[in-house]
Amino acid sequence: MEAEPRELDREDFWAACAAPAVEALAACATPEDVERVRVRFLGRQSPLSLALRRLRDLPDERRRQAGLLGNRTRTALEEALRAREGELSRAAAARRLEAEVVDVTLPGRRPALGHPHPLVTVRREVEAIFASLGFTVADGPEVEGEWYNFEALNMPPDHPAREMHDSFYLDARAGPDEPPGRLLLRTHTSPVQVRYMLGRGGRLPVRIIAPGRVYRRDEDATHSPMFHQVEGLLLGQGVAFSHLKGVLTEFARRLYGPQTEVRLRPSYFPFTEPSAEADVTCAFCGGSGCRTCKGSGWIEILGAGMVHPRVLEAGGYDPERVSGFAFGVGIDRLAMLRYGIPDMRLLFEGDLRFLDQF
Ligand code: PHE
């Protein structure tokens, strides 16, 4: 008969089985650590389980007593493990909550909102005014042929007015299906008049505006090598200079206010006859004279005139039957006046410190 293991009867034996587990439990930092302690100290090969298995060999009376001690130890250990595990998972949850906390009372972050460029704002306003007067929007290419940019507009190759338009020429000529000549960056939006007339095939009415970029070799505070114009063209039967003045006055008053006056000064453009330049009452001083209008009380905003018979012919219209007017507005100048911008180049530098002010 095997020596009876007396140790199983002793409370301190069972306490010793549990002690390292209690110590390991104290060192646990996560619920996973606790699970490892459970396997090691309550698993099938743990000293406690082995001791409990040895209870079978004891005689009845002692087995009951020792069993009581052993089972109490196991229950206490299980209890301690559960408690520790609960404690650690609550702590982990609290840490997670802490880390993920969202203060719903904080004000939101505003996304940086963009806005239209001041030139776009002014262009849209101009378009809206003319749309309400029955004009539609047309456009044409920025790389243009000499014929459209000059010749069809009554500026033959040796015409001195070509020098007024210091042009950017390309190293290329118009294609085989186009009127012959060099290609250039258009110096004004007037070639759109010709393109539109030709596309219209002699029909009336013609009532368009054509906003777009134009290019000239010129740069200072009031000139930029790239700038913007809005061309206007209206053709019909019996269209007279008074109609031109009426439309321009309506345009200026809608843009700058009902008190605005329009003054037409005789001028010269090869593609209109008679020609005029239009001034409006200076928006800064109301006409009394200031720095912006150089003391005159007037500011020039556009060129205009009655479409020259040769231009009507080039566009396929009979000057005996059809008349009309055309105008060309510098939108950059309109924007400068509207917003008090002292240097045109500011409009094209893309500097947000400038643009954010609009
Ligand atoms: N094309 C002219 C310019 O660029 C403006 C203009 C257009 C004048 C239409 C008269 C008629 O200066």
Side-chain angles (χ1 to χ4, degrees), residues 206-321:
V206 165
R207 206 154 49 206
I208 52 148
I209 55 165
R213 297 188 176 158
V214 300
Y215 304 83
R216 289 184 203 174
R217 300 160 72 105
D218 218 348
E219 181 163 12
D220 59 36
T222 53
H223 296 88
S224 153
M226 185 280 291
F227 59 106
H228 300 79
Q229 290 186 333
V230 179
E231 192 77 10
L233 175 67
L234 184 146
L235 301 184
Q237 281 178 313
V239 176
F241 200 87
S242 53
H243 297 121
L244 169 60
K245 180 157 190 187
V247 165
L248 294 182
T249 305
E250 181 65 17
F251 165 64
R253 292 194 175 151
R254 293 254 199 111
L255 195 65
Y256 289 116
Q259 70 297 334
T260 309
E261 292 296 335
V262 175
R263 176 176 82 170
L264 293 173
R265 274 180 295 107
S267 184
Y268 172 75
F269 299 103
F271 32 91
T272 46
E273 180 58 36
S275 301
E277 276 170 328
D279 301 334
V280 294
T281 347
C282 176
F284 291 104
C285 60
S288 57
C290 66
R291 230 173 43 114
T292 309
C293 60
K294 299 199 179 84
S296 74
W298 296 97
I299 290 191
E300 182 194 323
I301 59 164
L302 57 83
M306 302 307 291
V307 182
H308 195 287
R310 291 221 188 91
V311 176
L312 289 171
E313 269 165 8
Y317 285 82
D318 178 1
E320 295 299 326
R321 206 174 60 84

Side-chain angles (χ1 to χ4, degrees), residues 93-105:
R95 266 197 308 279
R96 212 167 34 244
L97 277 177
E98 180 85 30
E100 292 171 5
V101 74
V102 174
D103 182 351
V104 295
T105 67

Side-chain angles (χ1 to χ4, degrees), residues 56-223:
R56 287 192 285 252
D57 304 330
L58 297 181
D60 281 358
E61 184 53 25
R62 279 183 50 211
R63 187 170 66 228
R64 230 186 330 271
Q65 285 301 319
L68 209 63
L69 291 176
N71 282 321
R72 206 184 284 151
T73 305
R74 181 170 60 188
T75 311
L77 191 51
E78 281 168 351
E79 188 56 39
L81 280 158
R82 246 196 315 279
R84 183 74 177 134
E85 189 173 36
E87 198 177 292
L88 289 173
S89 38
R90 274 190 303 279
R95 266 197 308 279
R96 212 167 34 244
L97 277 177
E98 180 85 30
E100 292 171 5
V101 74
V102 174
D103 182 351
V104 295
T105 67
L106 279 178
R109 286 194 198 102
R110 281 185 192 280
L113 275 190
H115 58 81
H117 190 282
L119 276 178
V120 172
T121 306
V122 172
R123 191 198 71 215
R124 286 183 184 157
E125 236 173 278
V126 171
E127 285 173 1
I129 294 170
F130 282 109
S132 80
L133 297 175
F135 289 74
T136 55
V137 173
D139 67 3
E142 289 175 31
V143 172
E144 188 53 284
E146 271 182 302
W147 187 81
Y148 290 102
N149 195 81
F150 294 127
E151 224 129 308
L153 291 165
N154 195 30
M155 281 187 270
D158 55 354
H159 196 289
R162 285 208 190 188
E163 279 166 32
M164 284 162 36
H165 298 222
D166 285 320
S167 317
F168 290 106
Y169 281 94
L170 277 70
D171 268 340
R173 305 189 65 83
D177 302 333
E178 296 284 329
R182 288 177 292 175
L183 292 180
L184 73 161
L185 299 179
R186 66 179 179 188
T187 58
H188 51 178
T189 43
S190 299
V192 185
Q193 290 187 35
V194 181
R195 288 184 176 272
Y196 187 82
M197 282 191 271
L198 288 172
R200 195 88 171 99
R203 276 165 301 159
L204 291 177
V206 165
R207 206 154 49 206
I208 52 148
I209 55 165
R213 297 188 176 158
V214 300
Y215 304 83
R216 289 184 203 174
R217 300 160 72 105
D218 218 348
E219 181 163 12
D220 59 36
T222 53
H223 296 88

